[in-house]
Amino acid sequence: MSADERRLDDAITDFSRRPVDVEGVVKTVYTTGSGPAVVLMPEMPGISPDVLRLARWVRDAGFTVHVPSLFGTDGAWPTAEGGKEVVRRACVSAEFRAFAGGGTSPVTAWLRGLARRAHAECGGPGVGTIGLCFTGNFALTMALEPAVVAPVVNHPSLPLDDHAAIELGDEDARAVRDRVARDGLKVLAYRFDDDRWCTGQRFAAYRSLLGDAFDGRVLPGSSANPAPPPFFRDVVASPHSVVTAHLVDEAGHPTLRARDEILAFLAERLLRP
């Protein structure tokens, strides 16, 4: 990597970095801000500068952001070859269920523990969760933890081999549906209309499970950033990451409006008196 490319990496110096132990499993979590907690999970292949940009926007909106390191190199721009290797490792990891029939990814139990801890530390009415791509549905699965009151599901890509399925075991799916009915939980979600990893079939599956509690918003693929980092250009190879790699940071742009809608959704549920 050239010196110019290295300067593009994010050193994450404005976040605290700490190990978090949930029932004997330790993962690194980057934290910044003050106010109610929001757990922002990275998209594949890791905590990129684009993911950190989103984390800072959430922080600046009045929240304490927790970004757990789940895969990849923290702070690095995703290359095509490096990103493919991270995907390969994640797909065979015991923590993730990348394919149909695998049920709920075990890592979500650890993430629910992180949400409980974050709520205890930060207070407020509850915790927000933001999932992206590989972790997209994790934001919903984390709603099995009662502290989670504001789930945002962005372009969920799992299971990779069944676009009409949701990455949830049957028992957890019923429990999530019951939580939505019991507590009036709302779920905000985004995708591009021509995303080949998160299709209309997947949003239809969410609607079937959650009914009117699912607010699935679809942006035109023509609005996606045409020059994303190499992994998204060469491997993802379609509009996908609405508020990270494919966001266009221009006033009035559809992707920036999506970001603002997410911040408003979190504020309504976490910053109310």
Side-chain angles (χ1 to χ4, degrees):
M1 179 180 293
S2 69
D4 286 343
E5 288 173 319
R6 282 196 296 271
R7 281 198 294 271
L8 292 174
D9 288 353
D10 194 317
I12 327 183
T13 54
D14 54 333
F15 290 68
S16 65
R17 182 181 186 275
R18 60 172 177 163
V20 173
D21 185 326
V22 176
E23 297 182 355
V25 177
V26 179
K27 296 184 182 296
T28 296
V29 177
Y30 297 89
T31 307
T32 186
S34 61
V38 174
V39 178
L40 169 60
M41 290 157 282
E43 64 188 350
M44 188 60 67
I47 304 175
S48 69
D50 285 330
V51 171
L52 292 164
R53 177 180 60 177
L54 176 60
R56 293 181 177 107
W57 280 329
V58 175
R59 173 196 66 194
D60 295 346
F63 303 99
T64 305
V65 185
H66 298 71
V67 186
S69 179
L70 303 179
F71 36 69
T73 301
D74 302 337
W77 287 109
T79 65
E81 286 305 313
K84 285 192 288 187
E85 180 56 32
V86 174
V87 174
R88 282 192 289 266
R89 290 198 299 268
C91 285
V92 299
S93 167
E95 289 194 303
F96 303 103
R97 296 289 184 266
F99 301 105
T104 304
S105 288
V107 73
T108 56
W110 186 92
L111 290 164
R112 292 197 298 271
L114 173 62
R116 284 193 299 273
R117 179 171 301 193
H119 188 218
E121 293 175 353
C122 299
V127 175
T129 57
I130 302 175
L132 302 164
C133 177
F134 206 81
T135 66
N137 188 68
F138 296 177
L140 177 62
T141 311
M142 289 174 70
L144 294 171
E145 163 55 45
V148 172
V149 298
V152 182
V153 177
N154 285 291
H155 48 274
S157 62
L158 300 186
L160 296 173
D161 59 342
D162 186 351
H163 296 307
I166 300 175
E167 189 264 350
L168 272 174
D170 291 343
E171 183 177 347
D172 285 342
R174 288 191 293 270
V176 165
R177 184 180 58 209
D178 291 347
R179 168 93 201 275
V180 165
R182 182 177 66 250
D183 298 338
L185 201 69
K186 299 294 184 182
V187 180
L188 182 60
Y190 287 88
R191 59 177 288 269
F192 286 112
D193 59 6
D194 54 352
D195 185 349
R196 69 191 187 104
W197 301 100
C198 179
T199 68
Q201 290 175 292
R202 179 151 296 144
F203 267 31
Y206 278 101
R207 172 72 66 174
S208 177
L209 176 66
L210 303 173
D212 290 341
F214 179 70
D215 184 358
R217 304 183 183 186
V218 183
L219 277 64
S222 59
S223 66
N225 174 11
F231 175 80
F232 295 92
R233 182 192 65 215
D234 301 335
V235 180
V236 176
S238 80
H240 182 61
S241 300
V242 174
V243 289
T244 50
H246 286 105
L247 179 139
V248 177
D249 191 3
E250 296 176 358
H253 193 274
T255 57
L256 203 62
R257 286 200 300 269
R259 178 209 65 180
D260 292 342
E261 290 164 3
I262 290 170
L263 297 179
F265 177 82
L266 295 171
E268 180 183 351
R269 286 153 180 78
L270 301 177
L271 297 179
R272 64 180 182 268

